[in-house]
Every structure is written in structure tokens, then in C-alpha cells.
Amino acid sequence: NVMMVVLESVGAYRVHLYGAPFDDTPNLDELARHAMVFSRVYAAEAETSAAMGALLASVYPDHDWPSITQIAPSLAIPGLPAVLSSHGYGTAYIHSGGLFFDREDEFLNTRGFDKIFGEPRDYDFSRELKMLPKVKKWLEAAPSRPFFLVIWTHNTHHPYVSRFHHDYGVRDPNLNRYLNGVYEADDFIKRLGRRSKRWGWPIARCWW
């Protein structure tokens, strides 16, 4: 079983695990003690839609506008979800934001996912925790199959809506909201790990 958790718009220089001066990832710090942590990882491109193309279809970004999902949402490259699906895996994509930007919904629908979950709107309030019951429901629907599950958070995308309101001692209120979004993403991973263990799917190996 494979869970891929993508933290939206999170750069290493804002993460305590990688040396940032903010206590915003206590759970990742703890998980790193028994996980493989990569110190040299480079994003294909710092833009969500381009990252989808790299992660789910193994294509290099065009480094231009528009992104690969908008140019070729039906790109004829199977990618990881489709390959695993052809080997008997159940596959799903769960996002706590909308999937309408840059034709991302069309792109995801051609990647080989059995089920895709998104939200009709973005930004008005935190929806991170709403992903947990969706994870549980989907996992329970096909318990006999190995699974590939992509979970893509959203709160660290501008305008940084979060359930938390810690004061990180920075002057920029946008940055403070962003750091609270990072903290909430970290909190979500903690809850996901605990519930996965309770549901019978413990996360045995971690890579960061």
C-alpha cells in the first residue's frame, strides 16, 4: 500500500525539519527520527499544475504558461496511478481544495484514478480534516486490494486559511497565516497516521 501526501506550496526553507526558525512541523520532526529524509530534492517547477504533471505523468514542465494540465489534460502517458491500477491496485486522489484550475480535474480523470475527491470551492474555511472521512470511506470500499492513494493538502495555498492561529513572531501577517497553514498540514499528517493505524493500514515506512 502506498500513500503519497503532497503539501501544497510548501518549500523547505519554511519547514522546521529542514532548519527553518519556526516550530511549524513538530510531527514531521518526530517522524524524521525513523524515516528517510532527503536533503537534496528539487521541484520540477514551483507551480501546482506543473507538479501534477511531474508526479503523476513523469513529464518535465514546459517552464511556460499555461501548464501541462491545461495544454494536454488527456496526455497519452500512463503515469504511476495507471501503471499501478493495471497491476490490481485501487487508486484514488483526495484534495481539500478545488480541482477546476488549469483543467486539473480533466488531467486527473485521465491518469488512472478509480476515484477523485475535491471540494467545490476554495479558501473560505479550512477543509483539511474533511479529507480523513473520505480516506476511511474509500479504503473500506475495497479492503482486499492493495492501494495507491494521493492526498494533496490545500491550506498552504494563498490566502492561507487555517484552524490554527499561532503567533510566529513575524511582521508579515500573510507569512504568519502561511506558517499556521504549514502547522495544520503537519497536524493533518499526524492525524492521518494515527487513524491509518486504527483502521488497520499502519504507515510502516516514510520518506520526506
Side-chain angles (χ1 to χ4, degrees):
N1 298 325
V2 180
M3 283 188 185
M4 178 190 293
V5 181
V6 182
L7 306 186
E8 168 68 31
S9 303
V10 175
Y13 68 103
R14 297 297 190 197
V15 175
H16 185 265
L17 174 63
Y18 286 98
F22 312 109
D23 186 18
D24 55 356
T25 55
N27 181 63
L28 291 184
D29 292 349
E30 178 63 27
L31 286 175
R33 297 180 184 181
H34 56 86
M36 184 180 294
V37 179
F38 295 93
S39 59
R40 290 188 176 183
V41 177
Y42 301 92
E45 186 175 334
E47 196 264 328
T48 303
S49 302
M52 280 188 179
L55 289 171
L56 303 177
S58 299
V59 294
Y60 288 106
D62 193 40
H63 295 293
D64 197 359
W65 190 267
S67 69
I68 190 66
T69 63
Q70 191 170 352
I71 296 172
S74 300
L75 184 69
I77 296 177
L80 185 57
V83 170
L84 290 176
S85 179
S86 71
H87 285 79
Y89 276 69
T91 57
Y93 179 98
I94 300 178
H95 181 42
S96 55
L99 296 172
F100 45 82
F101 184 74
D102 274 358
R103 304 174 74 180
E104 292 171 353
D105 52 349
E106 297 178 52
F107 179 79
L108 291 170
N109 278 318
T110 62
R111 294 307 96 207
F113 286 112
D114 300 328
K115 191 71 176 179
I116 298 171
F117 301 88
E119 292 290 335
R121 295 181 59 193
D122 292 340
Y123 308 139
D124 48 356
F125 63 90
S126 173
R127 290 186 168 94
E128 304 291 68
L129 293 184
K130 292 183 67 176
M131 291 191 289
L132 290 173
K134 294 177 181 178
V135 172
K136 183 175 186 291
K137 183 177 180 180
W138 181 74
L139 291 176
E140 289 177 338
S144 62
R145 300 175 64 189
F147 64 81
F148 173 65
L149 174 60
V150 178
I151 301 173
W152 201 299
T153 68
H154 185 68
N155 284 12
T156 42
H157 190 290
H158 188 270
Y160 319 128
V161 178
S162 174
R163 296 180 295 112
F164 297 96
H165 304 282
H166 300 157
D167 183 0
Y168 284 96
V170 296
R171 294 183 179 181
D172 185 349
N174 280 318
L175 175 56
N176 199 76
R177 289 198 302 273
Y178 173 80
L179 295 173
N180 275 280
V182 174
Y183 184 90
E184 180 162 4
D186 180 85
D187 177 75
F188 170 80
I189 292 175
K190 176 182 69 177
R191 293 170 184 265
L192 176 65
R194 289 178 177 176
R195 296 196 186 190
S196 295
K197 184 176 181 180
R198 187 189 314 161
W199 297 332
W201 292 284
I203 300 175
R205 296 179 177 86
C206 299
W207 293 266
W208 308 105

